[in-house]
């Protein structure tokens, strides 16, 4: 401790009054002498020394300036009053008061135990027993944490109430879910243009095969044959325009799905018109103008009588 200053005198007097000790606090401006010293140890006090004046205290260490250590028996209780705390302070013991402090404690305890009450500094008493210690501060918080963790473990390991809910299936049953999944995969590849070109090409080849087009090595000759067939049937669409649109999309990197689907639908309708006749001009065979999605059932009607139409040309009753 580098420096110590005394508290105001009225605070010390208030402490005496709270302890119901009828005494007055005085401070000597010189080194006091203590002719009465029953502890046989010389006190070393700092300036100014703090002393007491009280007629009802028996001086243990005292002198004409006042009492340093007083003693009194009150209703069977033995009371010692120390006026100046430097005698038992840490820095006061370093000044040579250790022997005086030990002598004072030995005189007051009469061979019994010594208890230092530190509750004024925020300390609390330690409960007896380990179980009580777990329920006392500061261990109470840790105990509650352990109990909470055990409760959570028991809760997670307990049985459920009722049956376990079934997990939803990763894929929906049926063909539509499979088609949707394949469509998503095709869209993710980013090759819609190439798929459109191949679809149009396969559609034109299928129509040529169903109409028994001659096997020509020259692609232009086959295209001319298909154009003549379109003229004979009064087509509203032509394969050359549809194929050119598909090739343009196959070279483009645009993500215009609506336009691509429009070209694919035009190829689909062109195939139905080629096989079943142009819409609005009558049909050979009486089938749906869109026909089977793959064009089935319409090709044979070009080369043989209708299955539902007799030789005379009138349809039979259904």
């Amino acid at each position: 401790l580098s420096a110590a200053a005394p508290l105001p005198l009225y605070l010390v007097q208030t402490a005496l009054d709270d302890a119901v000790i009828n005494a007055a606090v005085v401070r000597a401006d010189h080194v006091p002498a203590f002719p009465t010293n029953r502890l046989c140890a010389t006190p070393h006090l700092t300036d100014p020394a703090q002393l007491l004046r009280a007629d009802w205290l028996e001086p243990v260490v005292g002198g004409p300036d006042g009492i340093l250590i007083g003693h009194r028996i009150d209703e069977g209780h033995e009371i010692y009053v120390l006026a100046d705390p430097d005698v038992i302070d840490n820095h006061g013991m370093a000044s040579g008061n250790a022997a005086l402090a030990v002598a004072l404690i030995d005189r007051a305890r009469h061979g019994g135990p010594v208890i230092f009450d530190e509750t004024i500094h925020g300390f609390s008493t330690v409960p007896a027993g380990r179980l009580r210690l777990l329920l006392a501060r500061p261990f109470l918080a840790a105990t509650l944490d352990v109990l909470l963790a055990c409760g959570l473990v028991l809760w997670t390991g307990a049985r459920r109430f009722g049956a376990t809910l079934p997990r939803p299936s990763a894929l929906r049953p049926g063909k539509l879910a499979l088609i949707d999944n394949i469509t998503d995969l095709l869209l993710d590849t980013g090759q819609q243009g190439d798929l459109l070109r191949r679809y149009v090409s396969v559609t034109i080849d299928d129509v040529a095969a169903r109409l028994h087009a001659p096997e020509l090595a020259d692609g232009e000759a086959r295209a001319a044959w298909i154009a003549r067939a379109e003229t004979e049937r009064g087509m509203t669409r032509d394969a050359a325009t549809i194929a050119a649109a598909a090739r343009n999309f196959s070279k483009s990197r645009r993500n215009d799905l609506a336009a691509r689907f429009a070209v694919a639908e035009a190829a689909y309708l062109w195939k139905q018109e080629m096989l079943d006749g142009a819409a609005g001009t009558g049909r050979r065979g009486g089938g749906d103008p869109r026909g089977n999605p793959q064009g089935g059932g319409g090709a044979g009607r070009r080369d043989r009588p209708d299955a539902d139409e007799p030789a005379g040309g009138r349809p039979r009753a259904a």
Side-chain angles (χ1 to χ4, degrees):
L1 185 67
S2 59
L7 292 175
L9 198 59
Y10 72 91
L11 291 179
V12 183
Q13 187 65 51
T14 301
L16 282 174
D17 297 339
D18 292 340
V20 194
I21 298 178
N22 187 14
V25 181
V26 295
R27 288 175 177 167
D29 54 358
H30 58 278
V31 179
F34 300 107
T36 303
N37 190 340
R38 299 180 182 180
L39 298 179
C40 300
T42 304
H44 300 276
L45 303 178
T46 58
D47 187 22
Q50 185 168 275
L51 305 174
L52 295 176
R53 288 182 179 175
D55 297 335
W56 61 279
L57 285 176
E58 175 189 0
V60 177
V61 177
D65 295 318
I67 300 173
L68 177 62
I69 300 175
H71 171 262
R72 179 181 176 84
I73 297 177
D74 188 7
E75 297 181 359
H77 299 285
E78 190 173 11
I79 300 174
Y80 284 86
V81 181
L82 175 63
D84 199 322
D86 285 351
V87 174
I88 57 175
D89 281 343
N90 291 339
H91 65 281
M93 290 185 183
S95 301
N97 292 315
L100 180 64
V102 173
L104 172 61
I105 293 174
D106 284 339
R107 178 184 178 89
R109 71 188 185 96
H110 298 289
V114 179
I115 298 176
F116 292 88
D117 188 359
E118 290 289 338
T119 55
I120 193 174
H121 300 300
F123 295 95
S124 59
T125 58
V126 178
R130 296 180 180 179
L131 295 179
R132 292 184 178 180
L133 187 63
L134 293 177
L135 300 178
R137 298 178 60 186
F139 302 104
L140 180 59
T143 303
L144 294 178
D145 290 341
V146 172
L147 294 177
L148 179 61
C150 293
L152 292 176
V153 171
L154 294 177
W155 185 23
T156 55
R159 294 189 60 182
R160 301 172 182 264
F161 293 99
T164 305
L165 295 176
R167 292 187 178 182
S169 177
L171 293 176
R172 303 190 310 273
K175 296 180 180 180
L176 291 180
L178 181 60
I179 294 174
D180 291 340
N181 190 29
I182 295 175
T183 303
D184 293 337
L185 292 176
L186 292 177
L187 292 178
D188 290 340
T189 59
Q191 299 180 359
Q192 294 86 0
D194 295 336
L195 292 175
L196 177 63
R197 177 180 55 80
R198 289 196 294 270
Y199 172 73
V200 172
S201 177
V202 169
T203 301
I204 295 174
D205 292 343
D206 183 50
V207 170
R210 288 174 180 269
L211 297 181
H212 307 289
E215 296 182 0
L216 302 175
D218 189 1
E220 295 182 357
R222 191 186 69 166
W225 186 90
I226 292 177
R228 289 194 299 271
E230 292 172 344
T231 303
E232 292 175 358
R233 287 165 171 74
M235 295 292 295
T236 59
R237 300 173 179 83
D238 62 278
T241 302
I242 297 174
R247 286 193 298 272
N248 292 336
F249 273 113
S250 65
K251 297 178 182 179
S252 175
R253 300 180 63 88
R254 295 182 303 162
N255 190 21
D256 193 353
L257 294 179
R260 290 190 174 97
F261 279 120
V263 175
E265 184 180 16
Y268 170 82
L269 296 176
W270 173 83
K271 176 178 180 179
Q272 304 310 311
E273 290 181 4
M274 287 291 289
L275 298 180
D276 293 334
T281 60
R283 300 187 304 276
R284 301 174 186 178
D288 182 29
R290 296 177 69 96
N292 187 283
Q294 298 301 326
R301 294 182 181 133
R302 296 284 179 264
D303 304 314
R304 61 180 178 84
D306 193 283
D308 296 331
E309 187 175 335
R314 297 180 61 187
R316 295 179 298 182

